[in-house]
Amino acid sequence: EIVLTQSPGTLSLSPGEGATLSCRASQTVNSGYLAWHQQRPGQAPRLLIYGGSNRATGIPDRFSGSGSGTDFTLTISRLEPEDFAVYYCQHYGSTSLPRLTFGGGTKVEIK
Amino acid sequence: QVQLVESGGGVVQPGGSLRLSCAASGFTFSNYGMHWVRQAPGKGLEWVAVIWKDGSKKYYGDSVKGRFAISRDNSENTLYLQMSSLSAEDTALYFCVKDIWDRGNYYVDYWGRGTLVTVSS
């Protein structure tokens, strides 16, 4: 079973700054099965990135995903006030057993 | 637009049962697998179960296996989660989540707002 480890646990940044969030898998994963979700306070999660690097519909281009193998990154180029939230990486198990595995999350908070 | 609306949450005593529902609209429900994902208060996301688009296959997380049952009614565009033998550890916000397979990418693309289940005496 794949384990996803996100770091750091918390990022304290100011609006306008850039953010780099890491997600490390316990074994090599296909980037087509790796996604990122954002959860704002009191809201449901929403899909940001799928396939490791593809922005979901309506997601601003300040969000980008990259990586391969065991190391994946979500980058936010310039933080807007609405970007302060918790971010989860997520792995889709397989087409024969599509269990979802989530990382523990990275909270991006206002410094 | 895609909408997923959960209902059926509430307060239940330990050992009790509850059935959650998720009404889907804005897409062809019978074409997609569906998941339940939960989030305990102040915690991260935990996958609960998945059901194939035609209901033919179902899989569960280890913490709910044997106690929860996922099902769907494609004629009513509704997803269900029957929960039994509930304990305090099942207290969480339960989300209904849509699955998608798209050109070699496999992920979940829409979440409902969730329904809160509280297990307490």
Side-chain angles (χ1 to χ4, degrees):
Chain A
E1 182 178 328
I2 289 173
V3 175
L4 299 177
T5 302
Q6 292 188 242
S7 62
T10 302
L11 264 179
S12 297
L13 296 166
S14 301
E17 290 191 293
T20 301
L21 287 65
S22 173
C23 175
R24 177 162 289 175
S26 58
Q27 60 192 83
T28 298
V29 304
N30 183 324
S31 60
Y33 292 65
L34 198 288
W36 292 88
H37 301 265
Q38 176 195 63
Q39 187 174 32
R40 292 170 175 157
Q43 296 188 18
R46 70 163 178 163
L47 175 68
L48 291 178
I49 300 288
Y50 66 92
S53 61
N54 302 291
R55 275 187 300 277
T57 302
I59 301 303
D61 61 7
R62 64 179 180 274
F63 291 93
S64 62
S66 62
S68 64
T70 61
D71 292 307
F72 296 86
T73 300
L74 176 69
T75 302
I76 311 172
S77 59
R78 295 171 309 280
L79 285 164
E80 298 287 342
E82 62 268 28
D83 300 337
F84 291 92
V86 180
Y87 294 84
Y88 294 95
C89 59
Q90 170 250 307
H91 180 256
Y92 190 102
S94 69
T95 55
S96 57
L97 204 175
R99 68 181 300 133
L100 306 179
T101 301
F102 295 93
T106 291
K107 181 179 182 180
V108 179
E109 65 176 21
I110 299 176
K111 186 174 182 180
Chain B
Q1 71 281 21
V2 171
Q3 284 201 319
L4 300 169
V5 180
E6 302 92 338
S7 60
V11 180
V12 60
Q13 292 190 335
S17 299
L18 208 57
R19 189 176 85 154
L20 307 183
S21 300
C22 170
S25 61
F27 65 104
T28 304
F29 183 68
S30 59
N31 284 353
Y32 296 93
M34 296 293 296
H35 301 257
W36 287 99
V37 174
R38 69 184 182 182
Q39 186 171 37
K43 302 296 185 182
L45 301 169
E46 179 188 15
W47 177 73
V48 173
V50 62
I51 186 167
W52 249 235
K53 60 184 178 181
D54 60 359
S56 61
K57 295 182 181 179
K58 307 169 186 180
Y59 297 99
Y60 300 91
D62 291 341
S63 62
V64 307
K65 204 172 297 183
R67 300 187 299 121
F68 288 12
I70 189 171
S71 62
R72 65 192 296 160
D73 184 337
N74 285 347
S75 67
E76 296 289 334
N77 293 338
T78 303
L79 176 71
Y80 300 102
L81 185 68
Q82 179 67 48
M83 305 185 295
S84 60
S85 301
L86 288 163
S87 70
E89 288 69 40
D90 298 312
T91 293
L93 189 60
Y94 284 74
F95 297 103
C96 167
V97 189
K98 175 182 168 290
D99 191 274
I100 182 168
W101 296 4
D102 175 34
R103 293 171 290 177
N105 298 310
Y106 303 84
Y107 54 104
V108 291
D109 58 350
Y110 288 96
W111 298 69
R113 296 176 66 90
T115 187
L116 182 62
V117 173
T118 302
V119 183
S120 173
S121 55

